[in-house]
Amino acid sequence: MNASTRLVDRETVARLLGMEDCIAEMERTLIEVSAGQSVNLQRQMIPQPEGNMFAIMGSALTAQSLVGSKVIVFPGQKAKENGTSQGIIPLFDGGTGALLAVVDGEGITGVRTAATSAAATKALARADASALAILGAGRLGRLHIEAICSVRPIETVYVWDIAPAATESCCAWAEQAFGVKAVPCKTAEEAVVPADIVCTVTQSAQPVLLGGWLKPGAHVNAVGACAPHVREVDTAAVCRARVFLDWTEAALRDTGDLVIPVQEGAWSPEEAVGEIGRVLAGELPGRRDEGEITLFESVGIAVEDLAAAALVYRLAEEQDLGTLASW
């Protein structure tokens, strides 16, 4: 008998992958990462024309006997403008080797990234945090508004983007979608200074968040810098904060937010508190008092994609969604 594989396209991913369910899945996954119950391979990147990067991100959820890889092109500017960013996540049964599903990777990536930030925010931000700053008003910025509003009583969202039109559009959307007060900001500083929680999702090569802007008790989710030569937060921000990581090996290797302060001799990897999964598991203290600044460095790891794809696959099986293909 031929094996069947469930093909799940982007529209179906969007239908099935709810934010709250994904946050719970990322909490479990991050705990498994820190407990040694998953395997992540180093991200392999192959440069392509027009600034595109072909990436292969393999991983295994050993506790669930699932293996797979995100295979995706991270788009350069031209690809972004043409809407040609695409990727897939093949999901295999680790025991039988069966190809269970092929899930759209682009639909997974944004939601699981925001959900991971929300999981860290639950562990580290003050319980009464009500003011959110979003630096970067694109799709990922909007997903972060949804995610953070799911875990903290957000009343005001301060939004800044290098494109003023994007800032205005994001604010209008946030007010309608979540009933918050959304404030368009002309500078990043204007957004950060009053914020209890700051999410950086700009992919900027130079810092857009300076440590001197952060108020006591603030929490930062540093998300957009995923190469050792680029960063969104400056050295002062790192040095002022207690720093938590998604996966130690990747965070200390792949993000300029941390690599550059180390190169400057201003910060040492030993100063990182540890992985957020240990905080979520109750093995490591998170926030110790109302006044300290915390920073979660989110590089994005393959097992997060795999776990989100597995969640989508289970829901698609239950609801008989997607397309079955026989090989």
Side-chain angles (χ1 to χ4, degrees):
M1 181 176 178
N2 293 335
S4 293
T5 302
R6 191 168 294 273
L7 309 179
V8 187
D9 63 14
R10 189 172 305 184
E11 180 179 344
T12 306
V13 169
R15 176 177 174 182
L16 293 176
L17 191 58
M19 185 61 74
E20 292 190 5
D21 287 343
C22 193
I23 292 170
E25 195 68 21
M26 292 305 100
E27 288 183 279
R28 182 175 74 172
T29 300
L30 290 164
I31 290 171
E32 290 180 354
V33 167
S34 295
Q37 296 176 336
S38 67
V39 177
N40 282 288
L41 299 183
Q42 291 190 15
R43 180 183 297 161
Q44 301 295 311
M45 306 278 279
I46 304 175
Q48 299 295 301
E50 304 293 346
N52 298 327
M53 296 291 290
F54 176 66
I56 303 173
M57 302 166 61
S59 65
L61 288 162
T62 53
Q64 301 178 49
S65 190
L66 294 172
V67 296
S69 178
K70 182 164 75 172
V71 183
I72 194 167
V73 172
F74 292 118
Q77 190 58 45
K78 185 174 182 180
K80 287 180 182 179
E81 292 172 356
N82 294 335
T84 54
S85 176
Q86 295 180 347
I88 59 170
I89 302 171
L91 181 68
F92 296 86
D93 184 307
T96 67
L99 178 58
L100 303 174
V102 178
V103 182
D104 175 75
E106 187 66 18
I108 291 286
T109 301
V111 178
R112 68 85 171 156
T113 301
T116 300
S117 293
T121 299
K122 283 179 66 175
L124 299 176
R126 294 197 329 266
D128 63 350
S130 61
L132 169 65
I134 297 290
L135 307 185
R139 176 173 179 264
L140 194 52
R142 295 188 181 204
L143 285 168
H144 271 75
I145 294 173
E146 177 185 358
I148 303 305
C149 284
S150 298
V151 299
R152 284 297 183 268
I154 301 301
E155 298 174 358
T156 307
V157 179
Y158 299 91
V159 181
W160 172 82
D161 191 278
I162 194 170
T167 300
E168 294 285 350
S169 176
C170 183
C171 286
W173 168 83
E175 290 191 339
Q176 182 176 18
F178 301 104
V180 297
K181 177 183 179 182
V183 181
C185 299
K186 294 181 180 179
T187 66
E189 181 179 7
E190 183 183 343
V192 170
V193 167
D196 303 312
I197 301 167
V198 182
C199 300
T200 63
V201 289
T202 67
Q203 297 183 328
S204 174
Q206 301 297 326
V208 294
L209 169 59
L210 305 186
W213 300 343
L214 294 167
K215 71 179 185 180
H219 169 67
V220 178
N221 295 307
V223 178
C226 297
H229 62 282
V230 301
R231 59 174 171 171
E232 293 184 304
V233 303
D234 72 350
T235 297
V238 173
C239 291
R240 286 190 69 192
R242 295 180 71 232
V243 177
F244 297 82
L245 316 171
D246 51 4
W247 179 38
T248 300
E249 181 179 339
L252 296 177
R253 180 192 66 225
D254 291 341
T255 172
D257 289 339
L258 302 181
V259 170
I260 294 172
V262 171
Q263 292 173 341
E264 293 173 344
W267 188 81
S268 167
E270 288 72 30
E271 295 181 66
V273 180
E275 292 179 344
I276 196 67
R278 294 188 60 205
V279 179
L280 293 166
E283 300 173 356
L284 191 69
R287 172 170 295 277
R288 299 174 302 183
D289 61 63
E290 296 296 291
E292 72 180 3
I293 295 170
T294 55
L295 186 151
F296 172 59
E297 188 61 51
S298 177
V299 181
I301 50 179
V303 72
E304 296 167 357
D305 296 295
L306 190 67
L311 172 60
V312 167
Y313 167 67
R314 292 194 298 268
L315 294 171
E317 285 278 286
E318 292 171 5
Q319 300 177 39
D320 194 24
L321 296 175
T323 303
L324 287 178
S326 297
W327 309 105

